[in-house]
Amino acid sequence: FCAACEQAGVDVELAADIRRALWEKFCFLSAMAGCTAAARVPVGDVRSDADLRATFVAALTEAWTLGRARGVPLADDYPARQTAFLDSLPAAMRSSMLNDLLAGNRLEAPWLSGAVVRMAAESGIAVPVSATLYAALKPHVGGARR
């Protein structure tokens, strides 16, 4: 399958540990989408504003801590590497959740920040930043109020 994708010009990577790969994406996405949507700003504003950057790092660290508590072998340097990745993204980039929020569409917050909150409650872990991001987005989960 990977060879066929490569021949077709599709960027593909075979994950040795799919659970870890999914959690790595989930941790970053829940923090980045939560911050950009709650603040209604693109990535560049999140990384250049000290308070928003700290919010991103805290939300990322909460999800990373949760994953590790649930037995996912996330690397010790994961938060630092993902923060560096945030710094490499185009400043004007917006999360799909921010785009959906601005367009009045349904939001994926229950499956991102909301999922962090639910799993943390099950695991007895406090995730105050993720909970705050989810609370700020929850009124908009169903899309624009008509």
Side-chain angles (χ1 to χ4, degrees), residues 81-135:
R81 281 189 295 110
Q82 292 308 107
T83 302
F85 177 65
L86 180 80
D87 291 338
S88 75
L89 297 173
M93 181 180 167
R94 299 190 313 192
S95 68
S96 62
M97 191 156 61
L98 173 57
N99 289 333
D100 286 339
L101 178 66
L102 296 175
N105 297 330
R106 293 175 50 116
L107 303 184
E108 57 206 347
W111 301 279
L112 294 172
S113 300
V116 172
V117 172
R118 279 190 309 281
M119 287 187 281
E122 293 167 3
S123 300
I125 296 171
V127 290
V129 174
S130 297
T132 301
L133 291 173
Y134 184 52

Side-chain angles (χ1 to χ4, degrees), residues 7 11 15 33 42 51 54 61 79 84 90 101 112 116 120 128 139:
Q7 283 182 334
D11 188 22
D51 294 325
T61 301
L101 178 66
L112 294 172
V116 172

Side-chain angles (χ1 to χ4, degrees), residues 1-8 10-14:
F1 178 77
C2 288
C5 287
E6 289 170 357
Q7 283 182 334
V10 175
D11 188 22
V12 65
E13 179 183 335
L14 181 61

Side-chain angles (χ1 to χ4, degrees), residues 30-54:
S30 65
M32 195 265 289
C35 287
T36 60
R40 291 162 177 75
V41 297
V43 167
D45 291 348
V46 170
R47 67 177 179 231
S48 66
D49 179 273
D51 294 325
L52 285 174
R53 184 179 187 87

